[in-house]
Amino acid sequence: MDLLNNLLSWILWFPLIGIVIIFLINRTNEKAIKWVALITILIDFILSLILLLNFNFSDPGFQFVEKKKWLDFLNSYYFLGVDGISILFIPLTTLTTLLCILISWNSIKKKVKEFHLALLFTNISIVGTLCALDLLLFYIFWEAMLIPMYLIIGIWGGPRRIYATLKFFLYTFFGSVFMLIAIIYLYIKFGTFDYTLLLNKGYSFGIEKLLFLAFALAFAIKIPMWPVHTWLPDAHTEAPTAGSVILAGILIKLGAYGFLRFVLPMFPHASAYFTPLILTLSVIAIIYGGLACLAQEDLKRLIAYSSVSHMGFVTLGIFSLNPIAMKGAILQMINHGIVTGALFMCVGVVYDRTHSRAINYYGGLATTMPLYAALFMIFTLASIGLPGTNGFIGEFLILAGTFLSNKIATTFAALGVIIGAGYMLWLYQRVFFQKVSPNVKNLPPLKTNELVALIPMVILVFLIGLYPNLFLDFMKTSVANLLMNFK
Amino acid sequence: MLEKSFEVMTNFNIFVFLIPFLPLVASIITLIFGKKYFRDKSHFLPVLALFLSFLLSIKVLIDVIGGKIYNFDVYTWIFASHLKVGLGFLIDPLSALMVAMVASLSFLIHVYSIGYMSGDPGYYRFFSYISLFTFFMFMLCMSNNLAQLYLGWEGVGLCSYLLIGFWYEKKSAADAGKKAFIVNRVGDFGFALGIFMVFYYLGTLYYHEIFPKLPEISHSYLNILGLKVYVPFLASFLLFCGAVGKSAQFPLHVWLPDAMEGPTPVSALIHAATMVTAGVFMVCRLHPLFELSNAMMCIVAFVGAFTCFMAATIAPTQFDIKRVIAFSTLSQLGYMFMACGVGAFIAGMFHLFTHAYFKALLFLGAGSVIHALHHAPDPNDIRIMGGLKKYMPVTFWTFLIASLSISGIPGFAGFFSKDEILSQAYFSQYSWGKIIWFIGWVVAAMTAFYTFRVVFRAFYGEFKGKDVIHGYPHESPKVMTIPLIFLAIGAVIAGWIGVPEVLGGNNLIEKFLEPVLGHPKVIHEIPHSTEYLLMGLSVLAGLSGIFLAWLVYIKVPALETVFSRNLKLLYTFLYRKWCFDELYHLIIIRPVLWTARCIVSKISDNFIIEGIVNGSARLVNIVGTGLRYLHTGIVNYYGSFVLLGVIIYIILYLYLK
C-alpha cells in the first residue's frame, strides 16, 4: 500500500495496533504496556512528521485527501483531508499524547492498562476530528473524544473527580446537541454531509444566523469562551496530569478549530454579523480570565483560568477576520498547547511528590529544585509573551492584526498582557522564591522521564519564538483562502 | 540625509553580529555548566566575551566615524501577510555610540563583579544573567526595527527582574523584582499599542522605512469617541509610555528605588547606566515622530522636569546610600527627557553618555563601601558610615570625582553635558524652554547638595560603625578598585567630546550625532555673553549646593535635625517618596485584587454563572425525577414516545423546509 496516499488513515488508525497489542498483554505486565503505548505513539508522531514534510505550501485546498464510501444509505463518506489550518495540529496531538505517556510513566498506579488504552483512543478521536471532512464523521469523532476523556478524569482524577467529569460531560454534550441538530438540518436540506459541498450555500440570513449559533455554541463551550467556561477549572483541577495536558494541549483547541474549519467558511455572513459579539466575549474572557487567576489559591485552577484568558486571544484573533491576526490565532493555539500543556506537566511533577496543589503549600522551590525552577520559568515567560518565546509571536500577531480591524478591542485585550504578567509572576514568586517551605525541603530532583517530556516543549518554545516562519508558512495560503469569503 | 554623507552597508557583517552574540553564548554556557563545572571560575567566559565585544564595538565605532553605516537583517523573524520584520542591526552614529558605551561599562562592571560577588552561592547565575542582560541591551540598541527593539526592551526587563530578585529568598527582593516587571509592563502596554499604531499607519516597522513615510501622517487625525486626535501625537504618546516605564519617570518611577534590592553591580549597570536610559535612547531614535507633535514634546519635557525635581527632593531624606543614588538616577534621567522635550536630542544623548560613567562610578563606589561593611546588619545605611576617606582612599577619590562630575563642576564630564542641556533649553525654539531651564537650574543645586551629603556623611567625620562591624573597614580588592579608576577617568574625560564652541572646543559629539538626531532646535542668534552667564549660573548652583551640604553636614550638624523636626509633615512626605507607593496600593492594587477575589471569583463565577449551571442541572434533575414515572417498563408506552418523537421531528422538518 502506498503510504503517502493513505497517510492520514495511517496516522489516524495506527494507534489501533497498539490498542490491540495492549489488549493482549497481561495487565500485571505494566512495563510492557507502557512501552507498547509509547512506541505506538512515537511511530504515529513520526508519521505525522512525514505528513508535515510532504505538505504542499502553495495549495490552499485539502491535501492527502481520502474519500471512500462509508454509510451509503446516509450518503456519508469516509472523507479525510488536511489543509494549512489543521495540519500543524496533527503532530501537536501525537506529540502531546507521547509526552503524556512519558510524564505519567510513574504517576499512574492503578489500572495502567486501561489508562493507556484511553490515551490511545483519545489520540485517535482527536486526529479524526482534525481531518474529518464529512460532517457525520466529524461529529462521531467529536463525541467519541468525550468518552476516553470522561474515563481519564473519572478514574484517575482527584477527589472531586465525579462532579468534575459529570460537569465536563454535560456541558460539552449540551453544546454538541445543538450542533447535531444543525448538521441534521443541513443534511435534510442538501442531502449531504460533505463539507466541501456545503460551502457557499445560499441560506436565508435568518437560517444562517441560527446555524451559526448552533455550531458556535458547541465550539464556544469547548474553547471555552466566557461565560460558558466554568467546566474547565473543575475538569482541569481534578484531571490527572495527562488529562489536564490533553485537555489544555489539544482538546480545547478543537473548539477554535471548529470556528476556523466550519463556522467561518460555511456561514460567512452570519460570522461577519456576529463578529462584534464574539470580539466582546473574547475581550471579556481575556480580562476576566486574568482577574480570576489573581484570585486562585490552587496551582491547577490558576493555570486553567489562564487558559480562558489565552483562548480569548485566540478567538479575538480568529474573529478579527484579518490574515495577520488569524495566523497569530492559529499559532497561538499551538503555543498555548505547548506552554499550558508544559505548565500542567510541571504542576504534575510537584503534585506527584507532594500531593498538594495549594499555592501556599509551596515556597522556595528555586532553592530545592533549581533545574525544575528554570524550566518552569521558561514556560512562565512564554505564557506571558516575552519576546523570543513562542507566546510573544502569537500575541504580537493577534494584537497587531486586530489593531488593523478593531482598535478598541486591541486596547482592552492588551490590558490582559499586564494582568498576565501579574498573576504568573506572583504565582512564580509564591511557589519558587522566598523562604524554603518545610513541605518541599527534601523533594527529589527531576526524574529522567519528566525531563525527557519537558525538553521538547522547551525546544518548541524557542523554535517558534525565534523562527516562527517555519510554522506560519503552513498557514499562508489556507488562511488567505479562508478570508476570501470576507472580502 | 543619512545617505549623502554615509556609505550604507547592507551585507551581513560578522563583527557587528558578534557584538551581541558573544555575550549570549557565554551566558547560555555559563548557565548550563556553571553550577557543576565552572563554579568560582564562572566569570571567565562572560568577562572574555564582553572584552571581545568591547573591542569589536570600538572597531565598529571607528568604522562609523569613518563614514560607514551598517543596516542588515540576519534573517526574517516574523513574516505574516504584510507584516515583515527581521532580526537585524542598524549601526549608525547613534547606536554605535550607545553600543560602545554599553560594552565598555558592561566589561568594567563584569570585572568589578568578580570581586563583589565572590563567594556568593549564585556566582554562576549572576554572571550568566548579567551577560544575558548585555546581549539584550545590545539587541535593543542595535536593532533596525521596532519589533526587535521590543525584544531587547522586554529582554532587559527580564534580566532586570531576575537580577533584582537575585537573592530571591528575601521576600523584599522577590517583591521588588516582580514590581519592576509589572510596572514596566504597564508602560509596555502603551509601547506595544504605539508599535501597532506605527504599523497601522505606515505599514512597516523598519526605521529606515518609517522616517521617509512620516510626512504621510503629518496631517492625519484619528477619531476616538468623537474626539479628533492627531495621529503622530497619539503614536508618540503611546511609545513614550514605554519610555516612562523603562526609564522610571513619573508616574511609573516607583519600581526603581525598590530595584536597589539587587546586587550593587546590577544597580550600576542596569539601573543607572544602561537599561534605564533605553527610554531616552528610544525617544532619540524616533525623534522625527516625536517632533511632529508640539504637544508631545511638551509632555516629554515636563514629565522629565517633574521627575527631575521630585527625585531631587526625595534624595536628601533617604539614608540608604543606594537609594540616594537611585533617586539621583531618576533625577538625571529627567534631565535627559527635558533635553529631548526641548528638541535638544544631542544634548540628551550626551548627558546619557556622561551620566553612564559617573553614575556607574557612584554605584560601584557605594558598592565598594557596602562590600567593606557587609558584616553590618544594614550595610547600606549612611548613618553607620563616616570617616571612610581614611580607610578606603581609592573608593573615596573616585567617589569624589563622580560627585563633582554629577554636581556640574567645570572640567568634569557632567558639567559639559548638563550645561549643554541647560543652555539649549534656555535658547530653545519651544516656548517652554525657559521654564525647563529654570527647573533644571534649581535641581542642579539640589543635586550637588544631596550628592555631597553622601560624600560628607560617608567619607568625612568619624567612623560610626565600629560596633556593628567589630572593627574598621578595609579598601576593596584590586579587581574592584581598578574598574573604579577606569570609570573615574571616564567620569572626567567623557565630557571632553562635547566641549562647546564658546569654551574653545569643537563639540565633536554634536557633529557626530547631527546626521541622525538633527540640529538642536535652538534660536539662531545665540549671544555669547548670555551663554557665559548661564554657564556661570550653573557653576554657581553646583557650588552653592556643595557649600550648603558642607554647612549642614560638616559645619553645623544640628541644622539637619532642625529641618526634620520642624517640618515634620513635609519631611515625612518626602521620606515616604511623595507617598506614591501608598497611593498606588490604595487606588490600583487593592481594587484590582478586590475585583478579582470578590466580583470575578466569588460573585460572577461562583455565584451567578455556576448558579445558573447548577440550577439548570437541578431543574433537569427535578424534571427527570418526574419523568421517571414514565419509565414504566411497558413497551407500548415506549412505542408511543417514539411515535411522538417522530411526529415532532416531521413537524420540525416540514416547518424548517
Side-chain angles (χ1 to χ4, degrees):
Chain A
M1 205 170 355
D2 187 4
L3 182 73
L4 274 184
N5 282 338
N6 299 296
L7 191 54
L8 279 180
S9 284
W10 273 100
I11 296 171
L12 175 57
W13 299 114
F14 190 81
L16 262 188
I17 299 174
I19 288 172
V20 171
I21 298 173
I22 291 176
F23 254 119
L24 299 174
I25 299 175
N26 191 319
R27 62 168 53 255
T28 52
N29 194 352
E30 293 180 358
K31 209 167 178 184
I33 292 172
K34 287 175 190 168
W35 277 107
V36 170
L38 188 72
I39 290 167
T40 312
I41 288 297
L42 184 66
I43 295 172
D44 208 30
F45 174 61
I46 293 167
L47 287 174
S48 54
L49 288 183
I50 296 174
L51 184 77
L52 280 189
L53 292 176
N54 287 288
F55 185 76
N56 177 359
F57 289 91
S58 54
D59 180 0
F62 289 101
Q63 305 182 26
F64 307 99
V65 174
E66 292 172 43
K67 193 168 182 180
K68 292 186 185 70
K69 278 225 166 84
W70 177 41
L71 296 174
D72 219 6
F73 62 102
L74 283 171
N75 193 21
S76 173
Y77 286 84
Y78 173 78
F79 183 15
L80 305 179
V82 287
D83 66 354
I85 290 167
S86 54
I87 185 156
L88 287 173
F89 294 99
I90 291 172
L92 180 72
T93 306
T94 47
L95 178 67
T96 308
T97 315
L98 179 70
L99 301 183
C100 279
I101 293 173
L102 269 175
I103 199 85
S104 320
W105 201 259
N106 298 315
S107 55
I108 295 297
K109 303 265 193 285
K110 62 171 183 182
K111 298 196 192 332
V112 174
K113 186 169 173 175
E114 286 78 1
F115 179 78
H116 289 91
L117 288 175
L119 277 182
L120 292 178
F121 272 117
T122 319
N123 192 74
I124 293 178
S125 53
I126 291 171
V127 173
T129 312
L130 284 167
C131 46
L133 295 179
D134 179 285
L135 287 181
L136 186 62
L137 190 65
F138 168 79
Y139 187 79
I140 289 170
F141 281 125
W142 175 269
E143 291 296 348
M145 198 159 61
L146 285 181
I147 298 160
M149 263 335 277
Y150 179 86
L151 295 175
I152 287 175
I153 303 175
I155 296 175
W156 296 275
R160 287 174 70 237
R161 58 180 184 267
I162 301 302
Y163 171 73
T165 35
L166 211 62
K167 199 166 168 185
F168 162 69
F169 194 88
L170 290 179
Y171 237 119
T172 28
F173 200 70
F174 173 75
S176 311
V177 165
F178 290 94
M179 181 166 73
L180 180 63
I181 294 172
I183 291 176
I184 291 173
Y185 170 80
L186 288 172
Y187 175 68
I188 290 168
K189 183 125 190 216
F190 302 108
T192 179
F193 288 113
D194 187 332
Y195 161 78
T196 52
L197 297 176
L198 287 168
L199 298 175
N200 299 317
K201 293 282 185 191
Y203 312 99
S204 79
F205 192 46
I207 293 289
E208 192 178 327
K209 278 194 285 191
L210 282 178
L211 290 170
F212 173 94
L213 288 175
F215 272 90
L217 184 65
F219 298 140
I221 288 176
K222 203 75 153 193
I223 283 179
M225 289 173 74
W226 187 86
V228 286
H229 63 277
T230 54
W231 65 268
L232 187 79
D234 285 312
H236 266 323
T237 315
E238 298 307 321
T241 304
S244 304
V245 174
I246 289 185
L247 261 180
I250 349 169
L251 221 73
I252 64 176
K253 306 297 167 318
L254 294 174
Y257 166 76
F259 274 111
L260 286 165
R261 169 67 72 238
F262 299 102
V263 175
L264 291 186
M266 281 164 56
F267 319 116
H269 307 101
S271 300
Y273 174 82
F274 282 111
T275 294
L277 173 75
I278 306 273
L279 289 184
T280 311
L281 292 180
S282 307
V283 169
I284 292 177
I286 291 170
I287 293 175
Y288 186 99
L291 286 174
C293 285
L294 286 173
Q296 301 309 316
E297 301 294 332
D298 179 308
L299 273 170
K300 277 183 134 182
R301 262 190 114 75
L302 193 154
I303 299 169
Y305 272 108
S306 81
S307 289
V308 175
S309 184
H310 286 157
M311 292 309 284
F313 276 103
V314 170
T315 45
L316 183 78
I318 293 174
F319 276 85
S320 295
L321 301 178
N322 139 325
I324 298 176
M326 192 172 279
K327 282 177 207 168
I330 299 172
L331 195 65
Q332 187 67 355
M333 284 153 77
I334 296 164
N335 292 340
H336 178 260
I338 294 164
V339 172
T340 310
L343 283 172
F344 275 120
M345 285 189 202
C346 284
V347 174
V349 167
V350 284
Y351 182 76
D352 285 346
R353 288 162 170 72
T354 62
H355 296 283
S356 172
R357 297 188 310 252
I359 292 173
N360 59 19
Y361 179 91
Y362 297 94
L365 271 181
T367 311
T368 50
M369 298 175 76
L371 177 61
Y372 171 70
L375 294 176
F376 202 105
M377 174 56 88
I378 290 172
F379 299 126
T380 301
L381 295 175
S383 169
I384 62 181
L386 198 91
T389 65
N390 57 355
F392 169 72
I393 307 290
E395 278 179 11
F396 185 76
L397 289 176
I398 290 172
L399 291 175
T402 308
F403 196 85
L404 304 181
S405 35
N406 193 326
K407 292 180 192 63
I408 306 285
T410 318
T411 308
F412 280 105
L415 276 177
V417 177
I418 304 178
I419 305 174
Y423 63 74
M424 282 314 285
L425 292 185
W426 193 28
L427 168 74
Y428 197 85
Q429 179 181 355
R430 285 181 288 173
V431 174
F432 290 90
F433 289 160
Q434 301 178 12
K435 286 221 167 57
V436 178
S437 151
N439 303 325
V440 301
K441 226 162 216 148
N442 298 312
L443 291 189
L446 281 180
K447 295 186 191 111
T448 318
N449 68 310
E450 292 163 342
L451 198 60
V452 172
L454 287 170
I455 292 295
M457 299 301 213
V458 175
I459 294 171
L460 281 171
V461 162
F462 290 115
L463 182 65
I464 301 180
L466 294 174
Y467 198 64
N469 295 335
L470 197 62
F471 299 83
L472 291 172
D473 282 347
F474 281 97
M475 310 160 193
K476 206 158 44 187
T477 47
S478 293
V479 166
N481 191 38
L482 172 56
L483 285 170
M484 295 270 273
N485 292 317
F486 298 94
K487 280 284 148 64
Chain B
M1 58 188 172
L2 280 176
E3 284 73 11
K4 270 178 213 157
S5 47
F6 286 94
E7 184 190 353
V8 181
M9 320 282 280
T10 51
N11 291 333
F12 178 81
N13 182 299
I14 186 77
F15 300 118
V16 173
F17 173 73
L18 282 178
I19 294 176
F21 190 67
L22 289 173
L24 174 68
V25 173
S27 164
I28 294 172
I29 296 177
T30 308
L31 187 64
I32 297 175
F33 300 107
K35 191 178 186 195
K36 260 201 172 140
Y37 304 103
F38 302 156
R39 287 187 214 107
D40 57 342
K41 298 272 178 294
S42 296
H43 58 264
F44 182 74
L45 272 181
V47 169
L48 178 71
L50 253 298
F51 181 64
L52 294 175
S53 288
F54 170 63
L55 294 182
L56 287 168
S57 74
I58 297 296
K59 185 217 172 295
V60 168
L61 181 66
I62 291 169
D63 283 353
V64 173
I65 292 172
K68 274 185 194 159
I69 282 183
Y70 297 98
N71 186 2
F72 61 90
D73 273 358
V74 179
Y75 69 97
T76 304
W77 181 27
I78 307 173
F79 183 26
S81 198
H82 66 296
L83 172 67
K84 185 178 179 195
V85 282
L87 278 191
F89 301 119
L90 168 65
I91 307 290
D92 61 355
L94 178 63
S95 44
L97 182 73
M98 192 80 181
V99 165
M101 186 273 279
V102 172
S104 62
L105 274 169
S106 183
F107 170 64
L108 288 175
I109 291 170
H110 269 73
V111 173
Y112 176 93
S113 307
I114 299 172
Y116 190 86
M117 297 303 292
S118 70
D120 193 283
Y123 195 68
Y124 77 101
R125 215 157 40 88
F126 178 86
F127 277 96
S128 171
Y129 292 169
I130 202 163
S131 49
L132 185 67
F133 164 79
T134 315
F135 160 73
F136 279 121
M137 193 68 209
F138 284 139
M139 293 301 273
L140 191 162
C141 308
M142 298 166 74
S143 161
N144 66 357
N145 63 69
L146 282 172
Q148 186 187 325
L149 176 76
Y150 192 76
L151 167 97
W153 193 267
E154 294 277 296
V156 290
L158 163 70
C159 297
S160 163
Y161 163 78
L162 292 171
L163 284 163
I164 295 170
F166 184 72
W167 290 307
Y168 53 75
E169 294 189 1
K170 238 166 89 188
K171 185 172 187 303
S172 56
D175 279 338
K178 185 183 64 190
K179 182 174 173 184
F181 199 98
I182 294 171
V183 172
N184 267 298
R185 266 278 158 127
V186 175
D188 295 347
F189 159 71
F191 191 44
L193 289 177
I195 294 176
F196 298 148
M197 232 177 124
V198 169
F199 177 64
Y200 179 75
Y201 283 99
L202 301 173
T204 176
L205 293 174
Y206 283 104
Y207 298 140
H208 68 271
E209 290 170 3
I210 290 175
F211 297 136
K213 281 190 175 178
L214 279 178
E216 288 174 19
I217 58 165
S218 63
H219 297 288
S220 16
Y221 288 85
L222 176 71
N223 196 341
I224 302 179
L225 309 171
L227 217 69
K228 265 177 81 176
V229 184
Y230 186 44
V231 166
F233 169 75
L234 190 61
S236 49
F237 179 81
L238 290 169
L239 291 166
F240 186 62
C241 290
V244 165
K246 193 108 290 178
S247 293
Q249 297 294 293
F250 165 81
L252 298 179
H253 61 278
V254 289
W255 65 271
L256 189 64
D258 291 21
M260 296 302 124
E261 291 285 344
T264 308
V266 169
S267 312
L269 180 63
I270 302 184
H271 304 120
T274 56
M275 182 187 85
V276 288
T277 61
V280 182
F281 172 79
M282 189 267 284
V283 172
C284 287
R285 176 54 93 199
L286 298 173
H287 75 101
L289 178 65
F290 281 78
E291 278 176 318
L292 282 178
S293 161
N294 274 346
M296 194 55 227
M297 293 294 277
C298 186
I299 290 177
V300 173
F302 281 98
V303 165
F306 181 75
T307 315
C308 183
F309 176 74
M310 176 185 67
T313 61
I314 300 172
T317 63
Q318 303 295 311
F319 290 106
D320 181 322
I321 187 169
K322 285 179 69 183
R323 291 200 179 218
V324 176
I325 307 175
F327 280 106
S328 97
T329 307
L330 287 185
S331 187
Q332 299 299 310
L333 288 164
Y335 271 110
M336 298 172 207
F337 281 112
M338 281 152 75
C340 295
V342 295
F345 295 100
I346 295 178
M349 276 308 291
F350 184 28
H351 197 55
L352 187 162
F353 184 72
T354 59
H355 170 258
Y357 292 96
F358 63 69
K359 185 51 63 62
L361 179 55
L362 279 177
F363 264 119
L364 295 187
S368 175
V369 171
I370 293 165
H371 191 68
L373 300 177
H374 72 277
H375 290 301
D378 183 7
N380 295 10
D381 194 335
I382 54 173
R383 282 169 297 195
I384 64 160
M385 299 171 188
L388 295 177
K389 185 178 150 189
K390 196 160 63 185
Y391 310 107
M392 312 179 71
V394 181
T395 306
F396 165 68
W397 284 108
T398 50
F399 198 89
L400 184 67
I401 289 170
S403 303
L404 291 169
S405 192
I406 194 177
S407 305
I409 301 305
F412 294 91
F415 165 74
F416 297 105
S417 54
K418 194 180 282 184
D419 191 61
E420 191 81 356
I421 293 178
L422 290 180
S423 80
Q424 292 192 1
Y426 188 84
F427 295 116
S428 174
Q429 288 171 358
Y430 292 101
S431 53
W432 49 86
K434 296 229 168 32
I435 309 172
I436 295 297
W437 169 80
F438 181 71
I439 297 172
W441 182 71
V442 170
V443 175
M446 294 161 80
T447 309
F449 172 75
Y450 66 71
T451 311
F452 273 84
R453 168 177 173 259
V454 174
V455 174
F456 292 138
R457 288 199 74 144
F459 293 96
Y460 284 82
E462 284 295 306
F463 181 58
K464 302 179 196 71
K466 266 178 303 221
D467 306 327
V468 282
I469 69 162
H470 310 297
Y472 291 97
H474 298 284
E475 183 60 281
S476 299
K478 283 224 164 50
V479 69
M480 288 167 69
T481 52
I482 289 172
L484 288 181
I485 293 166
F486 273 103
L487 281 173
I489 296 170
V492 179
I493 64 164
W496 298 357
I497 57 168
V499 180
E501 270 146 29
V502 300
L503 290 183
N506 56 358
N507 216 340
L508 288 173
I509 190 161
E510 189 171 309
K511 296 209 174 67
F512 184 57
L513 290 179
E514 206 172 344
V516 188
L517 296 180
H519 195 72
K521 296 278 179 301
V522 289
I523 54 171
H524 293 299
E525 293 295 316
I526 299 178
H528 278 328
S529 54
T530 325
E531 251 186 291
Y532 287 125
L533 180 68
L534 288 177
M535 211 174 273
L537 281 175
S538 26
V539 175
L540 186 70
L543 289 176
S544 56
I546 298 176
F547 173 72
L548 207 63
W550 176 77
L551 198 68
V552 176
Y553 297 100
I554 302 265
K555 191 78 185 149
V556 199
L559 275 179
E560 196 199 4
T561 38
V562 170
F563 170 70
S564 54
R565 210 168 286 152
N566 290 345
L567 294 169
K568 192 129 189 89
L569 201 65
L570 178 68
Y571 179 79
T572 316
F573 177 68
L574 296 181
Y575 182 72
R576 316 269 306 259
K577 306 168 233 163
W578 292 40
C579 300
F580 275 108
D581 282 329
E582 290 81 355
L583 182 73
Y584 289 166
H585 195 76
L586 196 71
I587 63 166
I588 298 173
I589 300 173
R590 276 177 59 181
V592 167
L593 286 182
W594 183 79
T595 314
R597 291 197 181 117
C598 286
I599 306 281
V600 168
S601 192
K602 286 217 180 81
I603 296 179
S604 169
D605 236 42
N606 288 348
F607 186 71
I608 300 179
I609 299 178
E610 284 291 81
I612 293 170
V613 171
N614 289 337
S616 44
R618 213 161 293 139
L619 190 72
V620 171
N621 196 8
I622 293 166
V623 175
T625 322
L627 284 177
R628 198 182 300 155
Y629 297 109
L630 302 175
H631 273 246
T632 50
I634 300 165
V635 180
N636 285 352
Y637 279 30
Y638 289 170
S640 38
F641 287 138
V642 172
L643 191 66
L644 190 69
V646 172
I647 291 167
I648 293 172
Y649 182 74
I650 291 170
I651 292 169
L652 270 176
Y653 172 59
L654 292 173
Y655 170 74
L656 286 173
K657 196 174 148 195

